[in-house]
């Protein structure tokens, strides 16, 4: 008699395969395909009847690993479990592939990550000191806390798995040290079934972890990036799309956010990222210090390193696994930022799978439902007022040629509350960050500075941009002096405020207190007319004089960004602007 949980391959098309099976198979469950003794993980996408055998069915699956060597007739074992992630203490400091295999143990098995290699997602030998908080006889349900362990400086709560309904706690261990493989408690559900609880449990990645009490994000994150915190802020639990052409600085900005954004936990999902950049992240982040604590930056991070050289199907898995880990820590009560680089490559994986399945293509051959899939992904972010936690999702988009009209960028704009558009022209001009101050959106009204102040800055930047285009088209002579002065003010704000040195210890990060002082100075520069004598000078000479004075101001302000630290040094900015407006001589 045939094993009802196995099947055989009958079709192979790159990462899409079909298998004939007998018995019951569930949509979305995982399977293992045995290829030359290696077990490759797959996911059931579709189930149909077998036209050649009425007792059998056909399961269409995507395979997350390289299928080289697979052949018709290879055995498929259906696991009856959905694609899932292991949740528990030890997630922080970890680096995984797109299927949560720990990369460093994998590299010890083989320096080349060959298909079929497996490694435990979490350290199975490490001891954790468990402190119980629940008592025998307590009525519990999925998500309730039964105890905690210390994960670095974080109190990691041990939860009842979310798949368990109402249950009674029958037993729980006393305070002691144990591994993640040992049982800490036993509960009995309403059907009388007993469940052994450990420090870890598995959660299906396409079933979102529920909110206790979802709330509107209302507290702004200090990212340390001036152009973001000044013009395009994001709240804890918010969503942002960060599109830009290749080479525009998306990765550098994500690294800066990892270091300086004020969040408890950072998760990076390198979704189809180039292998060289991913390796640089693995090496550099292990050596970086957290500016907030002085500890290793990895102590509050975990990384999914699914590179462009890995099978495309794993890109989809890596984003959903990272989302689920983020939801888990949000449920724990922590503020989490998830950085996905890039969602374009995730969407390309969906396009490739859709094409192989023969689905009707949408714009640029992406699936017809790509906007809904992108919205569904970003909707898993959010704030939870009951736990105090939040999950902020910042996804980079890599539109070919910097075309923001392509489907993934447009769907991201519709799905997110923030939009940080990177400009190729600004990147080519060596402006960092290359966020175009005229191409952004934000759902945050008042943040570190008021909406009115932001609107004034945006207005002068818009006007300065228009004057710049006029100068490029018809020349400087046709621009009135007062407009040229406004143009120089806009250039000063752009050069001195919106740009930073990502590698300078002080200038790389600007906190709200310093940002407010900068904003007050900018508002004074915008509002106050300059006082200078133009007697005996024609328009051309006046413009040359104005340019010279603003050049000197910009040079001084740039230097101020890199040295002003104490209160007295910081206050010199307002003093210098007053002197500049009144055209007093600079103090030495």
């Amino acid at each position: 008699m045939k094993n009802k949980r196995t099947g055989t391959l009958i079709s192979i098309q790159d990462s899409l395969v079909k298998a004939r099976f007998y018995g019951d198979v569930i949509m979305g469950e995982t399977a293992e395909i045995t290829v030359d003794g290696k077990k490759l993980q797959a996911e059931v996408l579709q189930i149909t009847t077998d036209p050649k055998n009425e007792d059998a069915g056909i399961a269409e699956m995507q395979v997350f690993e390289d299928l080289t060597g697979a052949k018709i007739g290879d055995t498929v074992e259906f696991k009856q479990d959905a694609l899932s992630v292991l949740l528990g203490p030890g997630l922080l400091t970890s680096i995984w592939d797109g299927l949560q295999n720990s990369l460093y143990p994998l590299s010890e098995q083989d320096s080349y990550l060959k298909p079929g290699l497996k490694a435990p997602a979490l350290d199975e030998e490490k001891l954790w000191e468990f402190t119980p908080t629940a008592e025998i006889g307590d009525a519990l349900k999925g998500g309730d806390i039964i105890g905690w362990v210390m994960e670095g400086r974080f109190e990691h709560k041990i939860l009842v798995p979310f798949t368990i309904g109402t249950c009674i706690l029958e037993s729980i261990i006393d305070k002691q040290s144990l591994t993640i493989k040992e049982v800490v408690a036993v509960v009995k559900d309403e059907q009388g079934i007993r469940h052994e609880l450990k420090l870890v449990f598995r959660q299906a990645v396409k079933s979102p972890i529920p909110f206790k009490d979802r709330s509107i994000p209302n507290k702004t994150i200090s990212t340390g990036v001036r152009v973001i915190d000044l013009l395009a802020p994001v709240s804890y639990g918010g969503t942002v799309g960060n599109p830009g052409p290749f080479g525009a600085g998306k990765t550098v900005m994500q690294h800066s956010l990892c270091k300086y954004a004020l969040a408890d936990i950072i998760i990076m999902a390198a979704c189809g990222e180039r292998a060289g950049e991913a390796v640089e992240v693995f090496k550099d982040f292990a050596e970086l210090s957290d500016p907030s604590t002085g500890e290793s930056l990895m102590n509050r991070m975990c990384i999914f390193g699914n590179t462009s050289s890995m099978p495309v199907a794993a890109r989809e898995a890596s984003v959903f696994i990272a989302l689920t880990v983020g939801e888990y820590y949000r449920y724990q009560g922590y503020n989490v930022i998830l950085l996905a680089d890039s969602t374009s490559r995730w969407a390309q994986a969906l396009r490739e799978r859709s094409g192989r399945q023969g689905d009707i293509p949408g714009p640029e051959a992406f699936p017809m439902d790509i906007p809904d899939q992108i919205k569904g992904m970003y909707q898993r972010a959010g704030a939870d007022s009951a736990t105090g936690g939040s999950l902020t999702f910042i996804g980079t988009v890599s539109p070919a040629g910097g075309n923001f009209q392509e489907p993934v960028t447009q769907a991201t704009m519709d799905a997110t509350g923030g939009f940080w558009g990177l400009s190729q022209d600004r990147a080519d001009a060596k402006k960092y960050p290359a966020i175009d101050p005229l191409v952004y959106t934000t759902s945050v009204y008042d943040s570190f500075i008021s909406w009115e102040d932001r609107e004034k800055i945006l207005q002068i930047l818009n006007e300065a941009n228009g004057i710049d285009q006029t100068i490029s088209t018809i020349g400087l002579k046709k621009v009135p002096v007062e407009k040229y002065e406004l143009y120089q003010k806009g250039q000063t704000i752009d050069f001195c405020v919106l740009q930073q040195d990502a590698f300078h210890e002080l200038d790389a990060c600007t906190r709200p207190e310093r940002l407010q002082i900068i904003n007050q100075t900018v508002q004074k520069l915008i509002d106050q007319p300059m006082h200078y004598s133009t007697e005996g000078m024609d328009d051309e000479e006046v413009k040359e004089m104005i340019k010279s004075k603003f050049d000197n101001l910009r040079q001084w302000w740039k230097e101020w960004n890199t040295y002003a630290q104490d209160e007295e040094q910081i206050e010199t900015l307002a003093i210098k602007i007053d002197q500049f407006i009144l055209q007093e001589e600079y103090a030495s």
Side-chain angles (χ1 to χ4, degrees):
M1 185 174 178
K2 297 182 184 294
N3 188 327
K4 292 188 176 183
R5 301 304 303 162
T6 62
T8 55
L9 288 186
I10 61 171
S11 171
I12 303 171
Q13 185 182 8
D14 294 323
S15 61
L16 200 68
V17 301
K18 292 182 180 180
R20 177 177 288 114
F21 67 91
Y22 295 84
D24 298 324
V25 169
I26 306 168
M27 281 280 290
E29 75 170 294
T30 56
E32 288 183 345
I33 303 170
T34 303
V35 178
D36 296 333
K38 304 170 294 187
K39 293 185 180 295
L40 310 183
Q41 191 168 351
E43 179 186 25
V44 177
L45 301 176
Q46 191 172 346
I47 299 172
T48 59
T49 57
D50 187 350
K52 297 181 179 180
N53 189 335
E54 62 181 15
D55 296 328
I58 302 296
E60 190 171 23
M61 301 175 289
Q62 66 172 343
V63 186
F64 298 118
E65 302 178 75
D66 185 16
L67 269 171
T68 301
K71 57 186 180 296
I72 303 300
D74 282 345
T75 301
V76 179
E77 181 181 358
F78 297 97
K79 308 302 290 184
Q80 212 166 0
D81 295 317
L83 182 65
S84 61
V85 59
L86 189 65
L87 301 174
L91 289 167
L92 299 182
T93 74
S94 296
I95 300 176
W96 302 285
D97 68 2
L99 297 173
Q100 210 193 9
N101 292 301
S102 189
L103 281 180
Y104 286 120
L106 279 183
S107 66
E108 292 172 0
Q109 297 179 41
D110 196 310
S111 55
Y112 296 96
L113 301 183
K114 297 179 180 178
L117 290 180
K118 298 288 185 292
L122 301 175
D123 189 338
E124 297 179 343
E125 305 301 325
K126 183 174 181 178
L127 292 174
W128 301 92
E129 186 174 353
F130 173 74
T131 302
T133 56
E135 298 179 353
I136 295 174
D138 284 353
L140 302 171
K141 64 181 182 302
D144 284 349
I145 302 167
I146 61 171
W148 56 273
V149 302
M150 289 304 297
E151 184 179 17
R153 61 187 176 89
F154 298 101
E155 184 180 285
H156 190 118
K157 302 173 183 65
I158 306 304
L159 308 177
V160 177
F162 295 98
T163 53
I164 297 178
T166 303
C167 56
I168 301 296
L169 183 63
E170 287 198 333
S171 65
I172 189 168
I173 65 172
D174 295 327
K175 182 176 181 178
Q176 60 182 276
S177 296
L178 72 165
T179 68
I180 62 173
K181 295 188 291 185
E182 298 177 67
V183 176
V184 298
V186 176
V187 296
K188 182 167 73 172
D189 64 22
E190 293 178 319
Q191 286 73 42
I193 301 173
R194 287 181 169 80
H195 303 268
E196 293 183 341
L197 306 187
K198 303 179 182 180
L199 298 181
V200 297
F201 61 90
R202 301 203 74 88
Q203 172 70 24
V205 300
K206 294 184 180 178
S207 298
I209 292 176
F211 290 83
K212 279 192 173 181
D213 186 7
R214 186 165 192 162
S215 58
I216 297 174
N218 56 16
K219 185 179 179 183
T220 308
I221 302 174
S222 171
T223 67
V225 182
R226 285 195 293 267
V227 66
I228 293 175
D229 293 348
L230 192 69
L231 296 179
V234 58
S235 297
Y236 290 102
T239 55
V240 176
N242 180 208
F246 294 104
K250 297 187 297 295
T251 303
V252 175
M253 192 168 74
Q254 286 211 332
H255 292 187
S256 181
L257 292 172
C258 287
K259 291 164 64 177
Y260 299 115
L262 292 185
D264 299 312
I265 292 165
I266 304 289
I267 301 172
M268 285 196 71
C271 177
E273 189 53 83
R274 286 165 287 190
E277 291 186 7
V279 170
E280 184 180 342
V281 169
F282 302 158
K283 293 173 62 179
D284 291 353
F285 277 61
E287 300 170 358
L288 290 176
S289 297
D290 186 341
S292 302
T293 64
E295 301 173 354
S296 170
L297 191 62
M298 284 300 298
N299 287 350
R300 66 181 182 113
M301 287 191 66
C302 53
I303 300 174
F304 291 88
N306 185 66
T307 68
S308 57
S309 57
M310 296 178 178
V312 294
R315 298 179 190 175
E316 181 185 3
S318 65
V319 173
F320 283 110
I321 287 176
L323 269 170
T324 309
V325 172
E327 291 172 331
Y328 176 67
Y329 277 110
R330 176 182 61 201
Y331 202 92
Q332 299 262 341
Y334 296 113
N335 291 314
V336 184
I337 294 179
L338 168 60
L339 301 164
D341 188 8
S342 91
T343 56
S344 287
R345 298 187 180 99
W346 168 80
Q348 288 163 7
L350 297 182
R351 178 171 63 184
E352 191 167 320
R353 185 189 78 187
S354 177
R356 288 170 182 163
Q357 287 184 284
D359 296 339
I360 297 174
E364 297 190 22
F366 285 103
M368 291 290 288
D369 65 343
I370 192 70
D372 294 331
Q373 295 202 50
I374 290 174
K375 286 177 183 177
M377 184 171 64
Y378 281 104
Q379 282 172 355
R380 294 178 65 168
D384 192 327
S385 59
T387 65
S390 67
L391 172 58
T392 306
F393 190 171
I394 302 174
T396 67
V397 188
S398 305
N403 174 24
F404 287 3
Q405 302 304 312
E406 60 89 37
V408 177
T409 305
Q410 287 295 303
T412 301
M413 290 178 68
D414 291 340
T416 57
F419 186 81
W420 301 338
L422 299 182
S423 163
Q424 185 67 65
D425 290 341
R426 292 178 71 83
D428 291 342
K430 308 304 180 187
K431 294 182 178 181
Y432 172 83
I435 294 175
D436 191 333
L438 306 179
V439 184
Y440 75 89
T441 57
T442 177
S443 59
V444 180
Y445 190 70
D446 285 327
S447 57
F448 304 121
I449 66 170
S450 68
W451 178 269
E452 290 78 7
D453 284 356
R454 281 156 54 188
E455 285 294 290
K456 284 168 63 177
I457 294 173
L458 181 60
Q459 181 179 353
I460 196 170
L461 290 172
N462 262 308
E463 291 188 40
N465 182 64
I467 297 167
D468 185 34
Q469 293 178 10
T470 300
I471 293 171
S472 300
T473 304
I474 62 176
L476 181 58
K477 288 185 179 181
K478 300 294 184 180
V479 177
V481 170
E482 62 272 14
K483 291 294 185 182
Y484 186 68
E485 181 183 311
L486 186 149
Y487 164 73
Q488 289 292 344
K489 288 182 178 181
Q491 290 289 93
T492 301
I493 295 169
D494 190 351
F495 186 73
C496 301
V497 179
L498 304 186
Q499 295 175 46
Q500 290 175 256
D501 184 345
F503 301 102
H504 190 279
E505 184 176 357
L506 179 60
D507 194 31
C509 175
T510 300
R511 291 297 176 212
E513 302 79 16
R514 187 184 183 98
L515 188 72
Q516 288 169 358
I517 292 171
I518 292 172
N519 175 58
Q520 292 166 8
T521 305
V522 167
Q523 299 301 321
K524 187 179 294 185
L525 182 66
I526 293 172
D527 293 336
Q528 299 295 323
M530 287 176 58
H531 298 271
Y532 45 75
S533 174
T534 60
E535 187 176 352
M537 301 170 66
D538 59 25
D539 280 2
E540 191 171 341
E541 291 172 329
V542 172
K543 291 172 186 174
E544 186 60 35
M545 176 196 68
I546 292 173
K547 180 180 184 302
S548 175
K549 291 182 179 296
F550 271 98
D551 283 345
N552 290 335
L553 173 65
R554 285 190 283 264
Q555 182 62 40
W556 179 87
W557 198 332
K558 266 295 186 182
E559 292 175 358
W560 179 89
N561 284 338
T562 61
Y563 76 79
Q565 296 190 62
D566 60 44
E567 186 176 344
E568 184 178 351
Q569 291 173 330
I570 292 174
E571 287 177 351
T572 58
L573 179 60
I575 296 170
K576 293 299 183 183
I577 290 298
D578 285 337
Q579 292 175 343
F580 177 77
I581 290 170
L582 298 173
Q583 286 303 292
E584 298 176 7
E585 291 298 320
Y586 287 89
S588 59

